[in-house]
Amino acid sequence: MASQLNCLVHISVGVYTMFCCLFKRSLSSDLSSSNSSMSSNPRNKCVLQPGHSLMDWIRLGNSGKDLNGIGGRIRPVTPTELATHNTQEDAWLAIRGRVYNITYYLPYHPGGPEELMRGAGIDATELFDKVHPWVNYDSLLAKCLVGPLRTDRPDAEELFDIANASPKSDRLREPSKAQELVRKSMENLANCITPVRKKITTKSEDNVKGSPPSKIMQSLIQSSDLPVSISRRAASSPIKSDKAQGSPPPLRFDWIQTSMKLTISIYTGLLANPGGCAKITDGRLHVEVATDGWLRTVQLIPDEQIKDPLQMRVFSESGKIEVMASKVEHKVWKNVGVMSFGAATQISSPRTLDCRVMHVERVSHDTTLLALSPVSGPVIVPLGHHIRVHHKINDKECIRSYTPVGDGWDNFGGDLSALKLAIKRYDTGDLSPYLTSLKLGDLVTLSGPYGNFQLQKLKQVKVMYLIAAGSGITPMLGLLRFMLARSNLKCKRVHLIFFNKTEEDILFKEKINEIIKQDDRLNVIHVLSNASSSWTGLKGRISSEILSLVIDKELYTQEQHFACLCGKTEFTQAGLEILKRLGVKENDVHAFIG
């Protein structure tokens, strides 16, 4: 028992400080430096900034942020490509045949970013193995995994570029047996987001089973809630698509667990822009996935009991949906259960559901943000689509359309699946006074989703124009974050031209300014039609003169561009005419009309 406890403590310390000594100098320099600094900092750790502890890193990994920089997908990486990611703004490294994007981890590294950067752009296995070859780096960097390092097939350019040979890399060496094993395993993972840490065997096509971890590892998992096991592959759905009928391709799924939580990942395809919902009925997990007018169902009969509340989130670029459920009993399962798929059916009508008000927040002098949680279970609205709010006043049904603003635009946090609506109050309106007076716990009836926006249109787009007026900013917010976050193709520029009456009418101004500070690819132009004398920005209404400030005919022909408009009908129609005169093609424009 004493030896087990000692081992547990040793492993726990290793997980936290796993990269602390990762990139030391040579053994002789290590000894000399440690002799001079042993009393003050014997482990060469640096002082981390507030908010950069191990738990902060774990929370960041669970926040849904794209830590691997390619939309959560897994793909092979050549040594040539790896070598290009060698700056603190874009840092990749390889350990034992796996490539990780460590850009976001740098400020969390106990040994300081400079030490970690010594391995950026190269295979850092040898450097890592000098001190801690046994630590669980794959757990700490699970969400940073880019894919396997393709050391078995160097590029032709890499083979013959003698002039630029780098002493830092040894890319032409034969891969070790361990690297070859890792490479083959990683290629089988396809779009899985986390690496396999336990040996997993497949018993059947529908069930994916794995070996339970040791008691020591279970203790670690229960204390840290780090991923312990995942399925071997993203399994193919047994339901085949009917190409003659135009039905969508089959779904694939994967799963990952901790001692307290089960996450089911459903893959719909690149830029599929899925919507969906999930609920637990009679102990079974039911998930509905909607793409391009088709509805597909997924059912899981779990091996153990799960419970509400469920959470859902979507990764728009990769088309992956994650459904997260809590376990009734905190333990590691041997198997996820039985997964079944229903046939694809065409969606004939939108759904209606009741939602409960979870949060109310004021975002301007006349606009309120409501966070609504569906009573039946979490719901995902596709990017660029909207819902409708229904309410009866004097036996007359009032209906208004609203686009959920997505995460990161409020101070609520909380439920990842909450639908967040920005409601502008019109004192003479029928519905907005009612909605802006709602209290916590009140019920609201919604229907949807509605819309025809196709995310596939942005596949080759490098420059984006978002042209909005007033509350027409809401569909642009999700697109703005999507374009700046996507990795393939990487967006070069996003122009937001935002029209309002007065400065106090500008919605989410502080949030937008925060993004500008973090990403210089975002260019924002505010235009006011009724500006005060202190306003130094542009004044007026939508016009060719204003839009031509960012839309250059010559540049337009050089890069793939796309423009989106949203506002009142007259604003949108005027914008479409102006874009046409500026040479923007009709296929490169989408107008959001509720």
Side-chain angles (χ1 to χ4, degrees), residues 73 131 153 201 307 320 397 399 447 483 511:
R73 295 177 291 112
V131 181
R153 289 186 295 174
T201 58
K307 62 181 180 179
K320 180 180 71 173
E397 186 176 37
I399 303 174
S447 68
M483 290 302 295
K511 297 289 185 180

Side-chain angles (χ1 to χ4, degrees), residues 383-409:
L383 195 62
H385 290 229
H386 61 274
I387 54 89
R388 291 174 182 169
V389 178
H390 301 253
H391 182 63
K392 282 190 176 182
I393 300 178
N394 299 326
D395 294 328
K396 175 185 176 182
E397 186 176 37
C398 295
I399 303 174
R400 292 293 182 272
S401 297
Y402 295 96
T403 302
V405 300
D407 294 326
W409 300 101

Side-chain angles (χ1 to χ4, degrees), residues 137-197:
Y137 64 90
D138 57 336
S139 294
L140 199 63
L141 297 179
K143 299 295 178 67
C144 303
L145 180 66
V146 179
L149 180 63
R150 294 177 56 179
T151 54
D152 57 329
R153 289 186 295 174
D155 291 346
E157 177 185 353
E158 192 174 22
L159 281 169
F160 300 109
D161 189 9
I162 306 300
N164 295 324
S166 172
K168 293 177 66 177
S169 59
D170 185 14
R171 299 183 174 93
L172 300 183
R173 66 185 178 187
E174 283 293 317
S176 65
K177 291 182 179 180
Q179 287 176 322
E180 186 67 16
L181 180 61
V182 167
R183 181 187 66 79
K184 290 180 179 180
S185 298
M186 292 304 298
E187 287 180 350
N188 288 335
L189 281 173
N191 286 316
C192 183
I193 63 168
T194 50
V196 176
R197 290 187 5 187

Side-chain angles (χ1 to χ4, degrees), residues 21 64 86 125 151 195 223 350 352 355 366 435-436 485 579:
C21 303
N86 59 0
T125 304
T151 54
S223 63
T352 299
C355 297
D366 62 357
L435 293 176
T436 53
L579 290 175

Side-chain angles (χ1 to χ4, degrees), residues 200-339:
I200 298 174
T201 58
T202 302
K203 296 288 185 176
S204 69
E205 284 297 317
D206 296 327
N207 297 334
V208 185
K209 297 189 176 183
S211 304
S214 65
K215 291 182 179 180
I216 293 178
M217 190 58 68
Q218 287 192 45
S219 299
L220 276 177
I221 295 154
Q222 290 170 357
S223 63
S224 65
D225 200 31
L226 292 173
V228 59
S229 64
I230 62 173
S231 65
R232 182 71 174 181
R233 56 186 170 81
S236 296
S237 163
I239 301 300
K240 304 297 183 182
S241 61
D242 187 352
K243 294 183 179 180
Q245 298 295 323
S247 60
L251 296 173
R252 294 176 292 113
F253 84 95
D254 205 351
W255 63 281
I256 184 174
Q257 66 168 319
T258 67
S259 62
M260 295 181 287
K261 185 172 67 175
L262 174 69
T263 300
I264 302 295
S265 298
I266 301 172
Y267 301 88
T268 64
L270 187 67
L271 300 179
N273 200 20
C277 61
K279 62 180 178 180
I280 298 175
T281 305
D282 297 329
R284 301 184 177 190
L285 174 64
H286 296 268
V287 183
E288 294 185 347
V289 178
T291 55
D292 294 327
W294 291 90
L295 182 68
R296 289 168 286 178
T297 59
V298 180
Q299 178 180 266
L300 171 66
I301 304 176
D303 259 19
E304 305 282 348
Q305 288 183 313
I306 57 176
K307 62 181 180 179
D308 287 313
L310 295 174
Q311 288 190 324
M312 291 183 76
R313 61 183 175 185
V314 63
F315 298 83
S316 298
E317 185 172 9
S318 63
K320 180 180 71 173
I321 293 176
E322 283 188 349
V323 183
M324 292 149 280
S326 298
K327 296 180 178 180
V328 173
E329 185 178 355
H330 291 179
K331 68 176 185 178
V332 177
W333 297 359
K334 293 182 179 180
N335 179 35
V336 67
V338 179
M339 185 80 77

Side-chain angles (χ1 to χ4, degrees), residues 63-187:
S63 68
K65 190 175 183 63
D66 179 19
L67 296 183
N68 81 341
I70 57 173
R73 295 177 291 112
I74 295 296
R75 62 172 178 81
V77 179
T78 65
T80 301
E81 181 183 8
L82 173 62
T84 64
H85 300 277
N86 59 0
T87 67
Q88 288 202 16
E89 291 73 30
D90 181 20
W92 293 8
L93 62 74
I95 302 177
R96 298 193 179 98
R98 298 173 182 173
V99 177
Y100 298 92
N101 185 340
I102 58 170
T103 308
Y104 289 105
Y105 180 69
L106 290 173
Y108 294 85
H109 177 226
E114 294 78 11
E115 288 298 300
L116 201 54
M117 282 300 297
R118 294 184 62 199
I122 65 172
D123 185 344
T125 304
E126 185 176 348
L127 294 172
F128 177 81
D129 284 345
K130 283 184 177 180
V131 181
H132 287 311
W134 49 268
V135 297
N136 294 318
Y137 64 90
D138 57 336
S139 294
L140 199 63
L141 297 179
K143 299 295 178 67
C144 303
L145 180 66
V146 179
L149 180 63
R150 294 177 56 179
T151 54
D152 57 329
R153 289 186 295 174
D155 291 346
E157 177 185 353
E158 192 174 22
L159 281 169
F160 300 109
D161 189 9
I162 306 300
N164 295 324
S166 172
K168 293 177 66 177
S169 59
D170 185 14
R171 299 183 174 93
L172 300 183
R173 66 185 178 187
E174 283 293 317
S176 65
K177 291 182 179 180
Q179 287 176 322
E180 186 67 16
L181 180 61
V182 167
R183 181 187 66 79
K184 290 180 179 180
S185 298
M186 292 304 298
E187 287 180 350

